[in-house]
């Protein structure tokens, strides 16, 4: 909202994500507070789309993507895979279409990816 920035992180032993907000373009940040959901192994898997949707992907439940359509004020969870790995990354590959790549660093041959279209009301897998 009005240029505010939100960051989400999960310290190793924390059961939930932690969030912090900046109202000055990232120069200063609020103290971290418990975030609105649990999500594990989400390194590099946060993106903002052309329409301003925020997405963050990781593990719990299974492989999931949390989507905010109101600048990080509220979130909706979508389970996108049954896998239990994460350590993924996300890129917007066309307006409101995100490529989510995830897997296990110990088994790189098991990497998976999906293209996901985020809409006003849904998260739609484009690959079957």
């Amino acid at each position: 909202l009005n240029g505010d920035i939100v960051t989400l992180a999960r310290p190793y032993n924390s059961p939930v994500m932690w969030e912090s907000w900046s109202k000055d373009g990232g120069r200063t940040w609020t103290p971290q507070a418990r975030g609105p959901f649990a999500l594990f192994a989400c390194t590099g898997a946060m993106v903002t789309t052309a329409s301003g949707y925020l997405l963050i992907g990781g593990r719990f439940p299974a492989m999931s993507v949390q989507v905010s359509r109101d600048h990080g004020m509220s979130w909706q969870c979508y389970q996108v895979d049954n896998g239990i790995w994460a350590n993924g990354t996300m890129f917007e590959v066309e307006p409101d279409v995100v490529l989510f790549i995830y897997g296990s660093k110990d088994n790189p041959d098991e990497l998976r990816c999906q293209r996901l279209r985020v809409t006003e009301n849904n998260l739609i897998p484009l690959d079957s």
Side-chain angles (χ1 to χ4, degrees), residues 80-111:
V80 297
D81 198 332
N82 290 324
I84 59 168
W85 344 264
N87 299 318
T89 191
M90 288 184 167
F91 303 95
E92 185 176 34
V93 294
E94 60 184 83
D96 299 324
V97 175
V98 171
L99 176 63
F100 184 23
I101 304 167
Y102 52 92
S104 167
K105 69 179 177 117
D106 297 325
N107 298 306
D109 56 329
E110 295 179 2
L111 287 176

PDB file of all heavy atoms in Angstrom, residues 80-111:
ATOM      1  N   VAL A  80      -0.099 -27.023  -4.107  1.00  0.00           N
ATOM      2  CA  VAL A  80       0.171 -27.194  -5.537  1.00  0.00           C
ATOM      3  C   VAL A  80       0.843 -28.524  -5.858  1.00  0.00           C
ATOM      4  O   VAL A  80       0.984 -28.868  -7.033  1.00  0.00           O
ATOM      5  CB  VAL A  80       1.010 -26.023  -6.093  1.00  0.00           C
ATOM      6  CG1 VAL A  80       0.248 -24.713  -5.975  1.00  0.00           C
ATOM      7  CG2 VAL A  80       2.368 -25.926  -5.431  1.00  0.00           C
ATOM      8  N   ASP A  81       1.287 -29.268  -4.852  1.00  0.00           N
ATOM      9  CA  ASP A  81       1.961 -30.547  -5.092  1.00  0.00           C
ATOM     10  C   ASP A  81       1.930 -31.340  -3.793  1.00  0.00           C
ATOM     11  O   ASP A  81       1.766 -30.771  -2.712  1.00  0.00           O
ATOM     12  CB  ASP A  81       3.412 -30.302  -5.524  1.00  0.00           C
ATOM     13  CG  ASP A  81       4.067 -31.503  -6.197  1.00  0.00           C
ATOM     14  OD1 ASP A  81       3.689 -32.654  -5.915  1.00  0.00           O
ATOM     15  OD2 ASP A  81       4.979 -31.289  -7.016  1.00  0.00           O
ATOM     16  N   ASN A  82       2.093 -32.656  -3.908  1.00  0.00           N
ATOM     17  CA  ASN A  82       2.141 -33.512  -2.722  1.00  0.00           C
ATOM     18  C   ASN A  82       3.555 -33.714  -2.205  1.00  0.00           C
ATOM     19  O   ASN A  82       3.743 -34.329  -1.175  1.00  0.00           O
ATOM     20  CB  ASN A  82       1.516 -34.878  -3.021  1.00  0.00           C
ATOM     21  CG  ASN A  82       0.027 -34.778  -3.193  1.00  0.00           C
ATOM     22  OD1 ASN A  82      -0.614 -33.992  -2.513  1.00  0.00           O
ATOM     23  ND2 ASN A  82      -0.511 -35.550  -4.111  1.00  0.00           N
ATOM     24  N   GLY A  83       4.545 -33.226  -2.936  1.00  0.00           N
ATOM     25  CA  GLY A  83       5.935 -33.401  -2.542  1.00  0.00           C
ATOM     26  C   GLY A  83       6.227 -32.742  -1.207  1.00  0.00           C
ATOM     27  O   GLY A  83       5.535 -31.820  -0.785  1.00  0.00           O
ATOM     28  N   ILE A  84       7.291 -33.200  -0.564  1.00  0.00           N
ATOM     29  CA  ILE A  84       7.645 -32.631   0.733  1.00  0.00           C
ATOM     30  C   ILE A  84       8.935 -31.830   0.662  1.00  0.00           C
ATOM     31  O   ILE A  84       9.457 -31.405   1.666  1.00  0.00           O
ATOM     32  CB  ILE A  84       7.776 -33.731   1.800  1.00  0.00           C
ATOM     33  CG1 ILE A  84       8.849 -34.753   1.410  1.00  0.00           C
ATOM     34  CG2 ILE A  84       6.439 -34.385   2.067  1.00  0.00           C
ATOM     35  CD1 ILE A  84       9.239 -35.687   2.524  1.00  0.00           C
ATOM     36  N   TRP A  85       9.472 -31.588  -0.542  1.00  0.00           N
ATOM     37  CA  TRP A  85      10.672 -30.766  -0.656  1.00  0.00           C
ATOM     38  C   TRP A  85      10.264 -29.335  -0.833  1.00  0.00           C
ATOM     39  O   TRP A  85       9.094 -29.038  -1.007  1.00  0.00           O
ATOM     40  CB  TRP A  85      11.537 -31.141  -1.846  1.00  0.00           C
ATOM     41  CG  TRP A  85      11.260 -32.450  -2.469  1.00  0.00           C
ATOM     42  CD1 TRP A  85      11.918 -33.615  -2.217  1.00  0.00           C
ATOM     43  CD2 TRP A  85      10.263 -32.757  -3.419  1.00  0.00           C
ATOM     44  NE1 TRP A  85      11.401 -34.620  -2.959  1.00  0.00           N
ATOM     45  CE2 TRP A  85      10.369 -34.127  -3.710  1.00  0.00           C
ATOM     46  CE3 TRP A  85       9.274 -32.039  -4.052  1.00  0.00           C
ATOM     47  CZ2 TRP A  85       9.545 -34.774  -4.614  1.00  0.00           C
ATOM     48  CZ3 TRP A  85       8.451 -32.690  -4.949  1.00  0.00           C
ATOM     49  CH2 TRP A  85       8.597 -34.025  -5.208  1.00  0.00           C
ATOM     50  N   ALA A  86      11.227 -28.506  -0.871  1.00  0.00           N
ATOM     51  CA  ALA A  86      10.951 -27.090  -1.123  1.00  0.00           C
ATOM     52  C   ALA A  86      12.211 -26.466  -1.697  1.00  0.00           C
ATOM     53  O   ALA A  86      12.666 -26.908  -2.744  1.00  0.00           O
ATOM     54  CB  ALA A  86      10.493 -26.390   0.152  1.00  0.00           C
ATOM     55  N   ASN A  87      12.785 -25.472  -0.990  1.00  0.00           N
ATOM     56  CA  ASN A  87      13.981 -24.792  -1.473  1.00  0.00           C
ATOM     57  C   ASN A  87      13.811 -24.338  -2.912  1.00  0.00           C
ATOM     58  O   ASN A  87      14.640 -24.588  -3.765  1.00  0.00           O
ATOM     59  CB  ASN A  87      15.208 -25.692  -1.323  1.00  0.00           C
ATOM     60  CG  ASN A  87      15.451 -26.036   0.118  1.00  0.00           C
ATOM     61  OD1 ASN A  87      15.341 -25.177   0.982  1.00  0.00           O
ATOM     62  ND2 ASN A  87      15.741 -27.286   0.398  1.00  0.00           N
ATOM     63  N   GLY A  88      12.714 -23.673  -3.173  1.00  0.00           N
ATOM     64  CA  GLY A  88      12.393 -23.290  -4.529  1.00  0.00           C
ATOM     65  C   GLY A  88      12.684 -21.838  -4.841  1.00  0.00           C
ATOM     66  O   GLY A  88      13.237 -21.093  -4.033  1.00  0.00           O
ATOM     67  N   THR A  89      12.287 -21.470  -6.028  1.00  0.00           N
ATOM     68  CA  THR A  89      12.388 -20.091  -6.475  1.00  0.00           C
ATOM     69  C   THR A  89      11.207 -19.797  -7.387  1.00  0.00           C
ATOM     70  O   THR A  89      10.588 -20.718  -7.927  1.00  0.00           O
ATOM     71  CB  THR A  89      13.731 -19.822  -7.175  1.00  0.00           C
ATOM     72  OG1 THR A  89      13.895 -18.427  -7.370  1.00  0.00           O
ATOM     73  CG2 THR A  89      13.837 -20.560  -8.490  1.00  0.00           C
ATOM     74  N   MET A  90      10.875 -18.525  -7.537  1.00  0.00           N
ATOM     75  CA  MET A  90       9.757 -18.103  -8.379  1.00  0.00           C
ATOM     76  C   MET A  90      10.187 -16.965  -9.278  1.00  0.00           C
ATOM     77  O   MET A  90      10.951 -16.100  -8.861  1.00  0.00           O
ATOM     78  CB  MET A  90       8.581 -17.610  -7.531  1.00  0.00           C
ATOM     79  CG  MET A  90       7.843 -18.649  -6.801  1.00  0.00           C
ATOM     80  SD  MET A  90       6.421 -17.892  -5.963  1.00  0.00           S
ATOM     81  CE  MET A  90       5.547 -19.351  -5.520  1.00  0.00           C
ATOM     82  N   PHE A  91       9.647 -16.985 -10.496  1.00  0.00           N
ATOM     83  CA  PHE A  91       9.871 -15.913 -11.460  1.00  0.00           C
ATOM     84  C   PHE A  91       8.561 -15.623 -12.171  1.00  0.00           C
ATOM     85  O   PHE A  91       7.852 -16.559 -12.545  1.00  0.00           O
ATOM     86  CB  PHE A  91      10.898 -16.326 -12.526  1.00  0.00           C
ATOM     87  CG  PHE A  91      12.214 -16.741 -11.974  1.00  0.00           C
ATOM     88  CD1 PHE A  91      12.491 -18.079 -11.733  1.00  0.00           C
ATOM     89  CD2 PHE A  91      13.184 -15.797 -11.685  1.00  0.00           C
ATOM     90  CE1 PHE A  91      13.713 -18.471 -11.229  1.00  0.00           C
ATOM     91  CE2 PHE A  91      14.412 -16.179 -11.179  1.00  0.00           C
ATOM     92  CZ  PHE A  91      14.669 -17.519 -10.954  1.00  0.00           C
ATOM     93  N   GLU A  92       8.255 -14.368 -12.388  1.00  0.00           N
ATOM     94  CA  GLU A  92       7.105 -14.032 -13.227  1.00  0.00           C
ATOM     95  C   GLU A  92       7.570 -14.144 -14.672  1.00  0.00           C
ATOM     96  O   GLU A  92       8.478 -13.432 -15.096  1.00  0.00           O
ATOM     97  CB  GLU A  92       6.582 -12.631 -12.925  1.00  0.00           C
ATOM     98  CG  GLU A  92       5.310 -12.330 -13.697  1.00  0.00           C
ATOM     99  CD  GLU A  92       4.703 -10.989 -13.344  1.00  0.00           C
ATOM    100  OE1 GLU A  92       5.465 -10.048 -13.055  1.00  0.00           O
ATOM    101  OE2 GLU A  92       3.474 -10.895 -13.380  1.00  0.00           O
ATOM    102  N   VAL A  93       6.966 -15.058 -15.435  1.00  0.00           N
ATOM    103  CA  VAL A  93       7.393 -15.309 -16.817  1.00  0.00           C
ATOM    104  C   VAL A  93       6.513 -14.616 -17.845  1.00  0.00           C
ATOM    105  O   VAL A  93       6.892 -14.510 -19.010  1.00  0.00           O
ATOM    106  CB  VAL A  93       7.492 -16.822 -17.106  1.00  0.00           C
ATOM    107  CG1 VAL A  93       8.616 -17.439 -16.276  1.00  0.00           C
ATOM    108  CG2 VAL A  93       6.173 -17.533 -16.835  1.00  0.00           C
ATOM    109  N   GLU A  94       5.363 -14.198 -17.459  1.00  0.00           N
ATOM    110  CA  GLU A  94       4.484 -13.316 -18.226  1.00  0.00           C
ATOM    111  C   GLU A  94       3.550 -12.688 -17.210  1.00  0.00           C
ATOM    112  O   GLU A  94       3.507 -13.136 -16.066  1.00  0.00           O
ATOM    113  CB  GLU A  94       3.739 -14.056 -19.344  1.00  0.00           C
ATOM    114  CG  GLU A  94       2.847 -15.189 -18.879  1.00  0.00           C
ATOM    115  CD  GLU A  94       2.221 -15.941 -20.040  1.00  0.00           C
ATOM    116  OE1 GLU A  94       2.879 -16.824 -20.595  1.00  0.00           O
ATOM    117  OE2 GLU A  94       1.050 -15.634 -20.372  1.00  0.00           O
ATOM    118  N   PRO A  95       2.819 -11.634 -17.557  1.00  0.00           N
ATOM    119  CA  PRO A  95       1.992 -10.969 -16.548  1.00  0.00           C
ATOM    120  C   PRO A  95       1.082 -11.944 -15.794  1.00  0.00           C
ATOM    121  O   PRO A  95       0.314 -12.687 -16.402  1.00  0.00           O
ATOM    122  CB  PRO A  95       1.188  -9.958 -17.361  1.00  0.00           C
ATOM    123  CG  PRO A  95       2.067  -9.649 -18.529  1.00  0.00           C
ATOM    124  CD  PRO A  95       2.747 -10.960 -18.859  1.00  0.00           C
ATOM    125  N   ASP A  96       1.256 -11.976 -14.486  1.00  0.00           N
ATOM    126  CA  ASP A  96       0.459 -12.793 -13.572  1.00  0.00           C
ATOM    127  C   ASP A  96       0.608 -14.296 -13.790  1.00  0.00           C
ATOM    128  O   ASP A  96      -0.231 -15.080 -13.353  1.00  0.00           O
ATOM    129  CB  ASP A  96      -1.019 -12.377 -13.616  1.00  0.00           C
ATOM    130  CG  ASP A  96      -1.202 -10.931 -13.196  1.00  0.00           C
ATOM    131  OD1 ASP A  96      -0.471 -10.472 -12.296  1.00  0.00           O
ATOM    132  OD2 ASP A  96      -2.058 -10.241 -13.781  1.00  0.00           O
ATOM    133  N   VAL A  97       1.674 -14.722 -14.450  1.00  0.00           N
ATOM    134  CA  VAL A  97       2.030 -16.137 -14.574  1.00  0.00           C
ATOM    135  C   VAL A  97       3.411 -16.319 -13.956  1.00  0.00           C
ATOM    136  O   VAL A  97       4.376 -15.667 -14.350  1.00  0.00           O
ATOM    137  CB  VAL A  97       2.032 -16.625 -16.036  1.00  0.00           C
ATOM    138  CG1 VAL A  97       2.526 -18.072 -16.123  1.00  0.00           C
ATOM    139  CG2 VAL A  97       0.633 -16.512 -16.640  1.00  0.00           C
ATOM    140  N   VAL A  98       3.466 -17.211 -12.960  1.00  0.00           N
ATOM    141  CA  VAL A  98       4.689 -17.428 -12.197  1.00  0.00           C
ATOM    142  C   VAL A  98       5.206 -18.833 -12.472  1.00  0.00           C
ATOM    143  O   VAL A  98       4.436 -19.794 -12.495  1.00  0.00           O
ATOM    144  CB  VAL A  98       4.400 -17.242 -10.687  1.00  0.00           C
ATOM    145  CG1 VAL A  98       5.579 -17.658  -9.846  1.00  0.00           C
ATOM    146  CG2 VAL A  98       4.011 -15.793 -10.409  1.00  0.00           C
ATOM    147  N   LEU A  99       6.506 -18.948 -12.699  1.00  0.00           N
ATOM    148  CA  LEU A  99       7.170 -20.238 -12.778  1.00  0.00           C
ATOM    149  C   LEU A  99       7.715 -20.537 -11.388  1.00  0.00           C
ATOM    150  O   LEU A  99       8.515 -19.776 -10.848  1.00  0.00           O
ATOM    151  CB  LEU A  99       8.312 -20.198 -13.800  1.00  0.00           C
ATOM    152  CG  LEU A  99       9.154 -21.473 -13.903  1.00  0.00           C
ATOM    153  CD1 LEU A  99       8.306 -22.652 -14.382  1.00  0.00           C
ATOM    154  CD2 LEU A  99      10.346 -21.240 -14.825  1.00  0.00           C
ATOM    155  N   PHE A 100       7.256 -21.634 -10.794  1.00  0.00           N
ATOM    156  CA  PHE A 100       7.674 -22.062  -9.459  1.00  0.00           C
ATOM    157  C   PHE A 100       8.512 -23.320  -9.642  1.00  0.00           C
ATOM    158  O   PHE A 100       8.027 -24.345 -10.118  1.00  0.00           O
ATOM    159  CB  PHE A 100       6.438 -22.337  -8.600  1.00  0.00           C
ATOM    160  CG  PHE A 100       6.715 -22.707  -7.171  1.00  0.00           C
ATOM    161  CD1 PHE A 100       7.891 -22.356  -6.524  1.00  0.00           C
ATOM    162  CD2 PHE A 100       5.764 -23.403  -6.444  1.00  0.00           C
ATOM    163  CE1 PHE A 100       8.124 -22.688  -5.196  1.00  0.00           C
ATOM    164  CE2 PHE A 100       5.974 -23.742  -5.113  1.00  0.00           C
ATOM    165  CZ  PHE A 100       7.160 -23.382  -4.488  1.00  0.00           C
ATOM    166  N   ILE A 101       9.800 -23.229  -9.306  1.00  0.00           N
ATOM    167  CA  ILE A 101      10.733 -24.353  -9.411  1.00  0.00           C
ATOM    168  C   ILE A 101      11.111 -24.746  -7.988  1.00  0.00           C
ATOM    169  O   ILE A 101      11.468 -23.893  -7.182  1.00  0.00           O
ATOM    170  CB  ILE A 101      11.998 -23.947 -10.195  1.00  0.00           C
ATOM    171  CG1 ILE A 101      11.627 -23.413 -11.570  1.00  0.00           C
ATOM    172  CG2 ILE A 101      12.957 -25.139 -10.306  1.00  0.00           C
ATOM    173  CD1 ILE A 101      12.778 -22.716 -12.276  1.00  0.00           C
ATOM    174  N   TYR A 102      11.032 -26.043  -7.676  1.00  0.00           N
ATOM    175  CA  TYR A 102      11.300 -26.491  -6.315  1.00  0.00           C
ATOM    176  C   TYR A 102      11.796 -27.923  -6.334  1.00  0.00           C
ATOM    177  O   TYR A 102      11.630 -28.645  -7.305  1.00  0.00           O
ATOM    178  CB  TYR A 102      10.048 -26.374  -5.443  1.00  0.00           C
ATOM    179  CG  TYR A 102       8.837 -27.040  -6.047  1.00  0.00           C
ATOM    180  CD1 TYR A 102       8.525 -28.354  -5.745  1.00  0.00           C
ATOM    181  CD2 TYR A 102       8.016 -26.350  -6.941  1.00  0.00           C
ATOM    182  CE1 TYR A 102       7.408 -28.967  -6.311  1.00  0.00           C
ATOM    183  CE2 TYR A 102       6.907 -26.954  -7.506  1.00  0.00           C
ATOM    184  CZ  TYR A 102       6.610 -28.265  -7.185  1.00  0.00           C
ATOM    185  OH  TYR A 102       5.523 -28.876  -7.749  1.00  0.00           O
ATOM    186  N   GLY A 103      12.437 -28.317  -5.271  1.00  0.00           N
ATOM    187  CA  GLY A 103      12.934 -29.677  -5.170  1.00  0.00           C
ATOM    188  C   GLY A 103      13.925 -29.816  -4.050  1.00  0.00           C
ATOM    189  O   GLY A 103      14.042 -28.958  -3.186  1.00  0.00           O
ATOM    190  N   SER A 104      14.660 -30.888  -4.099  1.00  0.00           N
ATOM    191  CA  SER A 104      15.613 -31.214  -3.047  1.00  0.00           C
ATOM    192  C   SER A 104      17.028 -31.005  -3.547  1.00  0.00           C
ATOM    193  O   SER A 104      17.396 -31.519  -4.592  1.00  0.00           O
ATOM    194  CB  SER A 104      15.430 -32.672  -2.623  1.00  0.00           C
ATOM    195  OG  SER A 104      16.510 -33.094  -1.838  1.00  0.00           O
ATOM    196  N   LYS A 105      17.809 -30.263  -2.785  1.00  0.00           N
ATOM    197  CA  LYS A 105      19.207 -30.066  -3.174  1.00  0.00           C
ATOM    198  C   LYS A 105      19.973 -31.381  -3.155  1.00  0.00           C
ATOM    199  O   LYS A 105      20.973 -31.536  -3.838  1.00  0.00           O
ATOM    200  CB  LYS A 105      19.870 -29.042  -2.264  1.00  0.00           C
ATOM    201  CG  LYS A 105      20.065 -29.514  -0.848  1.00  0.00           C
ATOM    202  CD  LYS A 105      20.755 -28.463  -0.018  1.00  0.00           C
ATOM    203  CE  LYS A 105      20.873 -28.950   1.411  1.00  0.00           C
ATOM    204  NZ  LYS A 105      22.202 -29.117   1.869  1.00  0.00           N
ATOM    205  N   ASP A 106      19.495 -32.345  -2.384  1.00  0.00           N
ATOM    206  CA  ASP A 106      20.160 -33.644  -2.320  1.00  0.00           C
ATOM    207  C   ASP A 106      19.803 -34.542  -3.496  1.00  0.00           C
ATOM    208  O   ASP A 106      20.495 -35.519  -3.750  1.00  0.00           O
ATOM    209  CB  ASP A 106      19.806 -34.353  -1.008  1.00  0.00           C
ATOM    210  CG  ASP A 106      20.302 -33.569   0.205  1.00  0.00           C
ATOM    211  OD1 ASP A 106      21.383 -32.948   0.104  1.00  0.00           O
ATOM    212  OD2 ASP A 106      19.599 -33.558   1.222  1.00  0.00           O
ATOM    213  N   ASN A 107      18.714 -34.243  -4.174  1.00  0.00           N
ATOM    214  CA  ASN A 107      18.265 -35.040  -5.321  1.00  0.00           C
ATOM    215  C   ASN A 107      17.882 -34.120  -6.469  1.00  0.00           C
ATOM    216  O   ASN A 107      16.695 -33.965  -6.786  1.00  0.00           O
ATOM    217  CB  ASN A 107      17.071 -35.921  -4.933  1.00  0.00           C
ATOM    218  CG  ASN A 107      17.425 -36.915  -3.855  1.00  0.00           C
ATOM    219  OD1 ASN A 107      18.382 -37.671  -3.992  1.00  0.00           O
ATOM    220  ND2 ASN A 107      16.687 -36.901  -2.764  1.00  0.00           N
ATOM    221  N   PRO A 108      18.862 -33.486  -7.135  1.00  0.00           N
ATOM    222  CA  PRO A 108      18.520 -32.515  -8.179  1.00  0.00           C
ATOM    223  C   PRO A 108      17.765 -33.120  -9.351  1.00  0.00           C
ATOM    224  O   PRO A 108      17.065 -32.411 -10.067  1.00  0.00           O
ATOM    225  CB  PRO A 108      19.881 -31.961  -8.614  1.00  0.00           C
ATOM    226  CG  PRO A 108      20.891 -32.915  -8.102  1.00  0.00           C
ATOM    227  CD  PRO A 108      20.293 -33.606  -6.924  1.00  0.00           C
ATOM    228  N   ASP A 109      17.834 -34.436  -9.534  1.00  0.00           N
ATOM    229  CA  ASP A 109      17.062 -35.064 -10.607  1.00  0.00           C
ATOM    230  C   ASP A 109      15.576 -35.094 -10.281  1.00  0.00           C
ATOM    231  O   ASP A 109      14.761 -35.420 -11.132  1.00  0.00           O
ATOM    232  CB  ASP A 109      17.580 -36.475 -10.894  1.00  0.00           C
ATOM    233  CG  ASP A 109      17.588 -37.374  -9.665  1.00  0.00           C
ATOM    234  OD1 ASP A 109      17.780 -36.853  -8.544  1.00  0.00           O
ATOM    235  OD2 ASP A 109      17.400 -38.591  -9.824  1.00  0.00           O
ATOM    236  N   GLU A 110      15.209 -34.731  -9.063  1.00  0.00           N
ATOM    237  CA  GLU A 110      13.803 -34.696  -8.670  1.00  0.00           C
ATOM    238  C   GLU A 110      13.227 -33.280  -8.651  1.00  0.00           C
ATOM    239  O   GLU A 110      12.154 -33.057  -8.097  1.00  0.00           O
ATOM    240  CB  GLU A 110      13.626 -35.340  -7.297  1.00  0.00           C
ATOM    241  CG  GLU A 110      13.949 -36.819  -7.285  1.00  0.00           C
ATOM    242  CD  GLU A 110      13.792 -37.445  -5.913  1.00  0.00           C
ATOM    243  OE1 GLU A 110      13.395 -36.749  -4.966  1.00  0.00           O
ATOM    244  OE2 GLU A 110      14.079 -38.643  -5.796  1.00  0.00           O
ATOM    245  N   LEU A 111      13.944 -32.319  -9.242  1.00  0.00           N
ATOM    246  CA  LEU A 111      13.401 -30.963  -9.316  1.00  0.00           C
ATOM    247  C   LEU A 111      12.087 -30.972 -10.082  1.00  0.00           C
ATOM    248  O   LEU A 111      11.916 -31.717 -11.048  1.00  0.00           O
ATOM    249  CB  LEU A 111      14.382 -30.023 -10.017  1.00  0.00           C
ATOM    250  CG  LEU A 111      15.614 -29.621  -9.218  1.00  0.00           C
ATOM    251  CD1 LEU A 111      16.535 -28.782 -10.085  1.00  0.00           C
ATOM    252  CD2 LEU A 111      15.224 -28.865  -7.961  1.00  0.00           C
TER     253      LEU A 111
END
